[in-house]
Amino acid sequence: TGTATNFNSSADLAQPWKFTSTNANYNDVTGTKNFTFAGVEGTTAVWPADITVTYDGAEHAIAATSVTSNKLSTALVAGTDYDVYYKVVGTDDNTAVTTAPVNAGEYEAFIKVRNEDVYSNPNERAKVTIEQKSIDVTTLATDAFKVTKEFDAKIDAGKASGEITIPDTELIAADKGKVSINAVPGTYADPNAATDKTVTVNVTLEGEAKGNYKLSASTISFTKAEITKAEPTIDPSSTC
């Protein structure tokens, strides 16, 4: 029996060591050897409940309640012993980053230890879901939007011009100018020339930030469509 000294689990594992015997019949022994520490055999992460939030333009991080080395009974420290990584659900772990997610989507959080010679990466994972922010279609501004065509005795859709806009109150400040409405008018209820006719307009989102939003409905009722009167064709040679 005796005491082994100079072991340092946080340093290079090829270390000098010394064995000091407690029995006078034996010499002390020194040497250099690679050691395998019990800590590499298992680490457990405990996470809080999965997070579900609505997109708000902010990062949404999740922190492990505890990360513990099973054999060393050591509590690991975030930012010192390990980091939390995030990836989109269904993608490879190699795509993960330490920046907490911002955009709408489903993400998986997991632990990566900094010293894999001492600690293993735990298997437990957490989920962060960022849901799309809803835009109320009843708030869309249609003052600059027009739907018109000349009378042709058909109810086919008219030509759209101008734009339907999203109020700033419906968007995160950083996304203003990055989300817009694509509007496609539907058919008229009747083919007669008139103003203030009602048509259904199909609306979808466009722009680089569109993935963070959803519309509360896919259509709106537009009440200012028109069919203009057509010029009659007169044949001078005809008789009445």
Side-chain angles (χ1 to χ4, degrees):
T1 61
T3 303
T5 57
N6 288 345
F7 291 109
N8 182 356
S9 63
S10 63
D12 187 341
L13 295 183
Q15 303 171 55
W17 53 270
K18 179 179 180 180
F19 181 83
T20 303
S21 176
T22 57
N23 188 321
N25 295 312
Y26 295 92
N27 292 320
D28 296 341
V29 181
T30 60
T32 300
K33 184 176 176 61
N34 287 323
F35 294 95
T36 299
F37 291 91
V40 299
E41 295 186 12
T43 304
T44 299
V46 177
W47 294 94
D50 292 342
I51 293 176
T52 299
V53 297
T54 299
Y55 170 73
D56 60 3
E59 293 183 5
H60 290 281
I62 187 169
T65 304
S66 65
V67 179
T68 307
S69 170
N70 300 334
K71 291 296 180 71
L72 298 178
S73 298
T74 302
L76 278 65
V77 179
T80 300
D81 299 313
Y82 70 87
D83 299 288
V84 177
Y85 279 75
Y86 303 88
K87 68 166 190 170
V88 175
V89 169
T91 60
D92 192 273
D93 284 0
N94 291 332
T95 65
V97 296
T98 55
T99 302
V102 174
N103 294 321
E106 292 185 340
Y107 301 88
E108 194 171 68
F110 61 94
I111 298 294
K112 272 189 178 183
V113 298
R114 294 190 176 184
N115 190 343
E116 294 186 3
D117 289 329
V118 180
Y119 306 112
S120 65
N121 289 313
N123 295 321
E124 298 79 13
R125 300 192 173 205
K127 189 175 180 181
V128 177
T129 301
I130 303 177
E131 298 179 337
Q132 293 172 312
K133 186 180 187 300
S134 181
I135 296 174
D136 184 355
V137 297
T138 65
T139 67
L140 299 178
T142 59
D143 295 345
F145 185 68
K146 292 183 179 181
V147 177
T148 186
K149 75 170 186 172
E150 186 179 85
F151 173 76
D152 60 1
K154 299 176 182 179
I155 63 170
D156 295 348
K159 180 180 179 180
S161 60
E163 62 180 0
I164 296 175
T165 57
I166 304 171
D168 287 347
T169 53
E170 294 292 301
L171 300 174
I172 301 303
D175 292 334
K176 293 175 183 178
K178 298 179 181 179
V179 189
S180 59
I181 296 292
N182 177 52
V184 179
T187 58
Y188 291 88
D190 64 74
N192 300 320
T195 59
D196 296 334
K197 298 176 76 72
T198 298
V199 297
T200 296
V201 176
N202 299 293
V203 288
T204 55
L205 293 173
E206 292 183 327
E208 61 181 286
K210 70 177 182 179
N212 291 321
Y213 296 89
K214 63 181 179 180
L215 293 171
S216 62
S218 60
T219 62
I220 63 171
S221 181
F222 182 65
T223 60
K224 295 186 179 294
E226 66 176 355
I227 297 178
T228 60
K229 293 180 179 181
E231 291 295 328
T233 301
I234 299 175
D235 183 356
S237 64
S238 64
T239 58
C240 298

